[in-house]
């Protein structure tokens, strides 16, 4: 490709972005009483937000419904055509309809609006047609009007669809913040993601248990500690008293340092262990555990219950395998 064609491609791309940014930067100034009314209505409802739109508005509507649902506002998407063939039965009197149409004149909505009115279901409109039938029927109108589409023919929704997406994000995130929706709340909606793994899992859910936990009695020798280190491969061994409470830890590094100082494998472990040694509480969240291991510059630790008794062991690799980083 010759340089002239490359320059044209870059020019076209930059023109699209510039036009969409130009239209988008007008949106913050348009937020006013209607936006507040929409938020207050949704926050006060006991039902769901039913999002609907057709064409590009429908594609973006699906994203808005998903964003609302994952940030604390129960919501689902309903296709207008399907609504006219039975799916209107999914709407209940306590619900709110969020209808998206740039022109505000989608014929499907003209047929849906009377039913919503008869059910006393309030309508929030995301539209650029402030004088349209949709806007006139709406309790609140969120204005996404543009001067110009980024499409040079003015046909493909570009600037208008970007404004729709941004207005949906503004609504969803404003509601999330108003509800004081937390990371833990978000994680419950995303249990399979890395955030869910970090915030929903506790140390007790991930730790090694049973024979996989390296420990020796306080009467043991360095030789017995070395055998336990080799058996489990965790890099440390917990030293426990007769009540199974940890009194110290001994690591691979401790063993190397002992032998370099001419220590012997017959030395009592109590004389060379690190006391009291670091340990992780079983009821900590996984996110707390990995941060603490990093902060202490260690890769593994024994796990204790509320009474200080050894109940498990955990290392960085276990956390990474659980999707926590």
């Amino acid at each position: 490709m010759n340089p002239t064609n490359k320059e044209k491609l870059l020019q076209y791309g930059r023109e699209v972005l510039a036009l969409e940014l130009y239209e988008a930067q007008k949106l913050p100034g348009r937020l006013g009483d209607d936006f507040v009314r929409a938020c207050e209505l949704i926050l006060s409802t006991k039902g769901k937000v039913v999002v609907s739109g057709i064409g590009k508005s429908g594609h973006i509507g699906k994203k808005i419904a998903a964003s609302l649902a994952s940030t604390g506002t129960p919501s689902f998407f309903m296709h207008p055509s399907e609504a006219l063939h039975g799916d209107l039965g999914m709407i209940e009197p306590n619900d709110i309809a969020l209808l998206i149409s740039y022109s505000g004149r989608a014929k499907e909505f003209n047929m849906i609006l009377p039913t919503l009115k008869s059910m006393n279901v309030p309508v929030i409109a995301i539209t650029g047609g402030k004088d349209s039938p949709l806007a006139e029927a709406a309790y609140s109108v969120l204005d996404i009007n543009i001067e110009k589409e980024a499409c040079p023919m003015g046909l493909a929704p570009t600037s208008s669809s970007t404004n729709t997406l941004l207005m949906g994000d503004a609504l969803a995130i404003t509601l999330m913040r108003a509800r004081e929706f937390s990371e833990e709340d978000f994680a419950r909606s995303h249990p399979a993601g890395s955030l869910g793994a970090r915030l929903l899992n506790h140390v007790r859910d991930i730790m090694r248990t049973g024979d996989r936990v390296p420990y020796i009695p306080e009467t043991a020798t360095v030789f017995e500690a070395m055998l336990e280190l080799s058996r489990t491969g965790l890099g440390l061994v917990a030293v426990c008293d007769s009540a199974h409470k940890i009194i110290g830890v001994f690591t691979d590094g401790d063993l190397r340092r002992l032998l370099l100082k001419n220590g012997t494998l017959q030395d009592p472990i109590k004389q060379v262990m690190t006391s009291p040694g670091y340990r992780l509480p079983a009821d900590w969240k996984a996110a707390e555990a990995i941060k603490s291991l990093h902060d202490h510059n260690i890769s593994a630790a024994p796990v204790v219950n509320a009474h200080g008794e050894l109940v498990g062991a955990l290392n960085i690799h276990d956390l990474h395998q659980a999707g926590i980083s």
Side-chain angles (χ1 to χ4, degrees):
M1 183 177 293
N2 63 55
T4 302
N5 287 338
K6 289 182 180 180
E7 290 172 5
K8 284 185 178 180
L9 294 176
L10 289 172
Q11 177 189 342
Y12 296 158
R14 287 167 180 159
E15 286 177 357
V16 170
L17 294 177
L19 276 168
E20 294 197 12
L21 289 169
Y22 169 75
E23 297 292 352
Q25 69 182 359
K26 302 174 189 176
L27 289 180
R30 293 184 190 162
L31 299 189
D33 291 342
D34 271 280
F35 185 79
V36 173
R37 280 160 57 85
C39 291
E40 290 178 341
L41 178 65
I42 294 172
L43 289 169
S44 64
T45 188
K46 295 181 181 179
K48 303 173 292 298
V49 176
V50 183
V51 183
S52 190
I54 199 161
K56 303 298 186 296
S57 295
H59 294 309
I60 294 172
K62 292 177 183 178
K63 191 273 181 188
I64 293 173
S67 294
L68 288 167
S70 68
T71 53
T73 300
S75 179
F76 67 88
F77 179 81
M78 180 182 68
H79 194 282
S81 296
E82 298 297 332
L84 292 169
H85 293 276
D87 280 5
L88 272 174
M90 299 165 68
I91 301 180
E92 299 176 331
N94 287 328
D95 292 339
I96 296 168
L98 176 60
L99 306 185
I100 307 169
S101 168
Y102 181 74
S103 69
R105 301 179 185 279
K107 61 180 182 179
E108 291 85 357
F109 286 166
N110 291 339
M111 290 184 278
I112 290 171
L113 286 169
T115 301
L116 297 178
K117 183 177 181 180
S118 70
M119 296 174 63
N120 292 318
V121 172
V123 172
I124 298 170
I126 297 182
T127 183
K130 292 182 286 185
D131 299 322
S132 65
L134 175 59
E136 290 174 2
Y139 174 84
S140 171
V141 178
L142 305 181
D143 181 13
I144 56 167
N145 183 53
I146 61 165
E147 294 177 29
K148 187 177 181 181
E149 295 283 12
C151 168
M153 295 179 291
L155 299 176
T158 44
S159 303
S160 59
S161 57
T162 298
N163 275 12
T164 305
L165 179 63
L166 292 174
M167 188 63 77
D169 284 346
L171 187 63
I173 301 306
T174 297
L175 293 168
M176 180 187 77
R177 295 178 69 177
R179 296 181 194 279
E180 297 183 348
F181 195 78
S182 67
E183 282 189 344
E184 288 77 8
D185 295 325
F186 190 86
R188 277 188 281 273
S189 300
H190 301 74
S194 59
L195 178 62
R198 282 172 57 83
L199 297 178
L200 296 181
N201 282 314
H202 291 76
V203 169
R204 61 176 174 268
D205 301 319
I206 303 169
M207 68 184 187
R208 305 179 184 201
T209 59
D211 290 342
R212 300 176 67 208
V213 180
Y215 77 95
I216 54 174
E218 59 184 325
T219 56
T221 63
V222 171
F223 178 73
E224 291 169 297
M226 182 185 71
L227 293 178
E228 189 69 353
L229 285 169
S230 300
R231 182 184 72 83
T232 58
L234 192 65
L236 67 81
V237 57
V239 183
C240 299
D241 63 16
S242 58
H244 213 57
K245 293 185 177 181
I246 299 177
I247 62 170
V249 296
F250 189 74
T251 68
D252 286 335
D254 292 329
L255 176 61
R256 288 192 296 271
R257 286 186 287 273
L258 174 70
L259 296 178
L260 287 172
K261 293 179 181 179
N262 296 319
T264 73
L265 296 180
Q266 300 308 316
D267 289 345
I269 196 66
K270 288 184 69 174
Q271 293 181 8
V272 296
M273 68 182 184
T274 299
S275 182
Y278 184 74
R279 67 283 308 271
L280 290 169
D283 59 354
W284 268 18
K285 290 180 180 176
E288 294 178 288
I290 196 164
K291 181 179 184 303
S292 185
L293 291 176
H294 285 309
D295 288 348
H296 287 83
N297 197 30
I298 55 178
S299 60
V303 179
V304 296
N305 60 19
H307 305 293
E309 298 164 336
L310 178 68
V311 292
L314 187 70
N315 71 1
I316 291 287
H317 182 66
D318 298 327
L319 290 162
H320 289 170
Q321 277 195 322
I324 301 156
S325 58

